């Protein structure tokens, strides 16, 4: 099966990943509202990671075995360049550059939630949610423009 036909045949999985991402996004907001900042940042990372994997799956037909949101964004930038969409690749690259620290914090939350006593404060969780909101909007735009 070609990569394109695998991607088309995987639309159910794409939608499942997008739904899981949406739920993690919702949990991140709820945790923030309750003052559970560690869980808010962790859920924000999970939401972004799954949304990026859904986009990757839709674009090339498989889910990458990566967990770093910055690496996932870099892979998607390369895919967009390969598709001749340097305009969208540049938008994503610019987003990564602008939000490098927040993206690094999200990645740290993925590890820290399991292995370290790291905690997050209100302002950090607020920044994580703002980064997530902007990323989700940008990913939606990329998906819409690539597949329209």
């Amino acid at each position: 099966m070609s990569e394109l036909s695998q991607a088309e045949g995987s639309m159910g999985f794409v939608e499942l990943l997008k739904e899981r991402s949406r739920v993690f996004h919702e949990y991140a907001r709820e945790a923030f509202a309750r003052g559970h900042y560690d869980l808010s940042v962790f859920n924000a990372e999970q939401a972004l990671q799954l949304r990026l994997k859904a986009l990757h799956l839709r674009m090339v037909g498989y889910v990458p075995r990566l967990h770093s949101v910055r690496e996932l964004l870099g892979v998607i930038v390369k895919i967009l360049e390969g598709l001749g969409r340097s305009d969208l690749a540049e938008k994503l690259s610019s987003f990564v550059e602008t939000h490098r620290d927040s993206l690094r914090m999200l990645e740290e939350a993925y590890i820290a939630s399991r292995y370290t006593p790291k905690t997050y404060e209100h302002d950090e969780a607020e920044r994580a949610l703002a980064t997530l909101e902007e990323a989700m909007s940008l990913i939606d735009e990329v998906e819409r423009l690539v597949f329209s």
Side-chain angles (χ1 to χ4, degrees):
M1 195 181 292
S2 74
E3 285 186 353
L4 183 57
S5 62
Q6 284 177 340
E8 291 167 352
S10 300
M11 285 307 292
F13 191 36
V14 168
E15 293 307 314
L16 177 62
L17 289 173
K18 287 169 78 170
E19 175 60 14
R20 287 177 180 168
S21 171
R22 187 194 64 73
V23 171
F24 272 115
H25 192 165
E26 184 179 309
Y27 288 169
R29 287 188 198 125
E30 289 175 16
F32 181 82
R34 293 179 183 201
H36 298 237
Y37 304 125
D38 299 349
L39 291 175
S40 180
V41 176
F42 172 78
N43 284 315
E45 188 281 337
Q46 290 291 283
L48 182 54
Q49 184 183 147
L50 290 176
R51 185 62 182 92
L52 289 167
K53 287 180 176 182
L55 178 60
H56 188 283
L57 173 61
R58 187 164 184 210
M59 291 174 74
V60 296
Y62 66 93
V63 177
R65 294 187 186 271
L66 298 171
H67 300 289
S68 163
V69 293
R70 288 177 298 163
E71 284 182 53
L72 287 163
L73 284 160
V75 168
I76 290 170
V77 164
K78 286 182 179 19
I79 293 167
L80 289 168
E81 289 169 345
L83 293 172
R85 295 306 307 253
S86 59
D87 56 330
L88 297 176
E90 179 53 39
K91 273 185 132 171
L92 275 181
S93 293
S94 178
F95 173 82
V96 171
E97 185 63 33
T98 302
H99 298 285
R100 184 171 308 283
D101 291 340
S102 295
L103 293 169
R104 187 176 298 125
M105 178 181 57
L106 288 170
E107 290 175 2
E108 288 170 358
Y110 178 79
I111 303 295
S113 67
R114 292 163 174 79
Y115 306 113
T116 72
K118 171 78 174 136
T119 60
Y120 295 93
E121 301 297 324
H122 177 275
D123 62 323
E124 293 168 310
E126 189 172 56
R127 195 174 76 214
L129 283 174
T131 300
L132 174 62
E133 299 287 341
E134 190 174 336
M136 294 299 228
S137 177
L138 183 55
I139 294 164
D140 288 344
E141 178 186 357
V142 166
E143 187 170 43
R144 181 178 49 79
L145 293 172
V146 167
F147 292 100
S148 63

